[in-house]
Amino acid sequence: MQQAMPEQDIILTNENEVSVNLIQSLLEKNHCSCVQLYERFSKYLQQDKKNYCGKFICFTNSEKTKLYGIVFASNAGLILHCFSTDLTKPVVLKIINLLSDFLTNRNIYCVSGEITGTNLLALAIKTCGKFSAPVVQRKYTLMEFNHNLST
């Protein structure tokens, strides 16, 4: 069992305060479940960041050496996310509190990403009083190419 991190160890920060390599590493490791987020972040790195159509936030330790997750919130209300798969309960609870504060004044029309992260965001949305439950949930099956098939 993983050792719980102290609650104050998790902080919410802007993407420009975290190593791009750390962000890209998390996105690459989870690229199958965060394709949209990966694409948006790649385009973001190549564009004028001041006029970008949304905001990226990161959840890190206070030293900014470990990335627990990244969330993109578009100005229109699209939320994309990618979280580490090894989050402990205290880390999840802290992220929910930080997300709840972040989402309080945002319009939300869609949350897209892997189901455990989407559930985490749903709890944060409920905590900030926006909705009691998602209106529609769509589950997708990921198709993967099997390189070992013989022809």
Side-chain angles (χ1 to χ4, degrees), residues 79-149:
I79 307 289
L80 304 173
H81 60 83
C82 181
F83 292 97
S84 176
T85 56
D86 62 349
L87 300 179
T88 61
K89 187 173 182 176
V91 170
V92 168
L93 294 174
K94 181 65 176 178
I95 288 174
I96 289 170
N97 288 334
L98 293 169
L99 268 172
S100 180
D101 291 343
F102 173 75
L103 296 171
T104 297
N105 296 318
R106 293 195 169 270
N107 292 322
I108 302 167
Y109 75 86
C110 178
V111 175
S112 182
E114 201 273 325
I115 190 69
T116 55
T118 297
N119 289 340
L120 190 149
L121 272 145
L123 284 170
I125 292 167
K126 185 177 179 179
T127 300
C128 71
K130 288 206 172 276
F131 307 106
S132 59
V135 177
V136 175
Q137 278 192 333
R138 295 186 182 121
K139 295 184 180 180
Y140 298 94
T141 302
L142 179 65
M143 293 179 11
E144 295 185 20
F145 179 74
N146 186 345
H147 294 280
N148 297 325
L149 288 177

Side-chain angles (χ1 to χ4, degrees), residues 12-18 23 36-37 40-41 44-45 47-59 69-83 98-99 101-108 110 121:
L12 184 149
T13 185
N14 295 320
E15 81 295 332
N16 60 355
E17 299 175 25
V18 178
I23 295 171
Q36 280 184 299
L37 180 60
R40 290 243 182 182
F41 188 72
Y44 170 80
L45 292 175
Q47 294 182 0
D48 176 17
K49 291 157 186 60
K50 291 184 182 189
N51 295 319
Y52 200 69
C53 62
K55 182 173 180 73
F56 289 92
I57 58 168
C58 298
F59 300 92
I70 181 169
V71 172
F72 171 75
S74 76
N75 296 340
L78 170 66
I79 307 289
L80 304 173
H81 60 83
C82 181
F83 292 97
L98 293 169
L99 268 172
D101 291 343
F102 173 75
L103 296 171
T104 297
N105 296 318
R106 293 195 169 270
N107 292 322
I108 302 167
C110 178
L121 272 145

